[in-house]
Structures are given as C-alpha cells and as structure tokens.
Amino acid sequence: MAHYNINLKDIEVGSDILQLPTDIFDSGSGKGTVIDSGTTLAYLPSMVYDQLISKVLAGQPELKLYLVEQQFTCFEYTESCSIDDGFPVIKFHFEDSLSLTVYPHDYLFLFKGDIWCIGWQKGVSQSKNGRDMTLLGDLVLSNKLVVYDLENMAIGWVDYNCSSSIKVKDEKTGTVYTVGAHNLSSASTFLIRRILTFFLLLIPVLNCLTN
C-alpha cells in the first residue's frame, strides 16, 4: 500500500458518538482512513467535520468564530479554565477495540494572544462519487510514541511525554540508544548515522511526534 491505511469505525466527542453512515469510513478505491506523519493537520469528510466541530463547540456557545488566513476557524478564548477543561476529548475508535485519544491542546493551537484556531480541516473529495478520505496527520499523533511495524503491516501508538528521552534498540546489534529532542543535535555523527541506518532498514521504529 502507498499509505498507512487503518480501519476506522467511529468517532467519539466527549461522551457522544457521532451519528454517521455505517459506510463512511469504508476503505478501497482511494477512500478510507490514512495516518500520515508527513501531514501537519487532520482532514475529515464534510459530514464528519460538520458534526465534530458542532460537538467541539457545543460547550462554548458564546464563542464568535471567524476565518484566519482563509483556512482556519478561530475564536478568542479568555475563560479562566484551560483549553483542556473547556473543550472535549476526541477518541477515534478502530477495529479490534483499539482507540486513539486526541486532547484539546492537540487539536487547538494558539494563533496569537488569546486567539485559538481549530486544527481539524474539511477534506477534499478523493473520488468521483464525492466520498472524502479521512487523513490523520501529526495533529492526532502529538505527544505519542508511534510504532511502524512494516513486516506485520501494523501501526500502533501510546501516549508519551515527548519532552522526555526515548530508548531505541538496534535489533541487529542489540545496542540501545537514548534519544531526546534536547540532545539530538549534539549527538555524534556516528550515533546519528547508526540511528538513520536503523530507520532505513525498516526495523520497527519509534517516532516521537511533538507539537
């Protein structure tokens, strides 16, 4: 496959499951759900986007929305409670009872001052019948360790404090390296070369994605 296609079943906003057609996340013929760490935001089919945004903003009816840079839906937020307390958690549920949690501080970003913008975007039609692809980018992978298991065609994740270091094991030599954003730039050329070689050999990779 050209992408990391996954089988999305439904989306939960707060404690509410979005009421969507059962086939809206079906895969095949350029449709379905893709995880792409090379994409910054997350793109949803129009029907999914409209319901999700409505649920996200339901608890803040006084917010005045406006468009920034002809792309982002934004609002001024001056409440005493934090963004995480003022907006719902979103959960993506996949087959085999797997789920991925996206917190408000992940899908909302500070534009400037008290202006916050929504990272969810309305997708572009990917097929002749008007169906949209669900494209989940870095927005949903923030502060997670992500495992790409190419041999078994699987992808996995776990919440992680990405300001901390991670340990990466070279399965060929058994050597364990400690890698962190704070010291990666000062690592030796040898270490960087070994880590890059480790990635390129397509051994299961741990990739820490931060905001």
Side-chain angles (χ1 to χ4, degrees):
M1 294 183 182
H3 307 285
Y4 290 98
N5 296 83
I6 52 180
N7 297 315
L8 180 61
K9 295 301 182 183
D10 55 54
I11 300 174
E12 182 179 357
V13 181
S15 58
D16 297 330
I17 299 293
L18 298 188
Q19 300 303 307
L20 301 166
T22 56
D23 63 344
I24 195 166
F25 299 121
D26 283 357
S27 301
S29 301
K31 302 190 294 289
T33 303
V34 170
I35 280 189
D36 180 18
S37 61
T39 297
T40 303
L41 302 175
Y43 298 83
L44 307 171
S46 297
M47 181 182 295
V48 178
Y49 174 86
D50 291 341
Q51 283 198 39
L52 183 142
I53 296 301
S54 177
K55 294 285 187 183
V56 164
L57 299 176
Q60 302 288 343
E62 304 300 323
L63 291 180
K64 182 179 179 180
L65 304 179
Y66 54 93
L67 202 62
V68 170
E69 297 182 353
Q70 298 183 333
Q71 180 180 7
F72 301 109
T73 299
C74 302
F75 54 86
E76 183 177 13
Y77 186 75
T78 57
E79 300 295 327
S80 57
C81 62
S82 69
I83 284 291
D84 281 329
D85 292 330
F87 295 87
V89 169
I90 296 175
K91 293 183 179 180
F92 290 83
H93 296 287
F94 305 94
E95 67 178 5
D96 297 328
S97 300
L98 300 177
S99 64
L100 186 153
T101 301
V102 185
Y103 300 94
H105 65 260
D106 295 325
Y107 66 76
L108 298 173
F109 63 91
L110 187 62
F111 179 67
K112 63 179 179 180
D114 294 323
I115 306 301
W116 290 81
C117 297
I118 300 172
W120 306 110
Q121 299 291 297
K122 188 173 293 188
V124 178
S125 179
Q126 299 291 319
S127 59
K128 294 180 180 179
N129 63 9
R131 295 287 295 278
D132 293 339
M133 176 180 287
T134 300
L135 179 58
L136 304 178
D138 279 351
L139 179 146
V140 306
L141 300 176
S142 296
N143 289 305
K144 292 177 175 62
L145 289 180
V146 182
V147 179
Y148 299 95
D149 186 345
L150 301 184
E151 184 176 347
N152 294 303
M153 297 185 67
I155 184 170
W157 49 80
V158 64
D159 287 342
Y160 191 76
N161 178 2
C162 286
S163 63
S164 304
S165 299
I166 60 172
K167 291 184 178 181
V168 181
K169 181 178 181 180
D170 184 332
E171 291 188 351
K172 185 175 182 180
T173 66
T175 304
V176 176
Y177 301 103
T178 299
V179 183
H182 61 283
N183 62 13
L184 184 59
S185 60
S186 62
S188 68
T189 302
F190 172 76
L191 174 58
I192 294 175
R193 185 184 303 119
R194 290 302 302 271
I195 293 175
L196 290 176
T197 300
F198 169 75
F199 289 158
L200 292 175
L201 286 174
L202 302 183
I203 298 172
V205 174
L206 289 178
N207 179 22
C208 190
L209 302 166
T210 59
N211 285 325

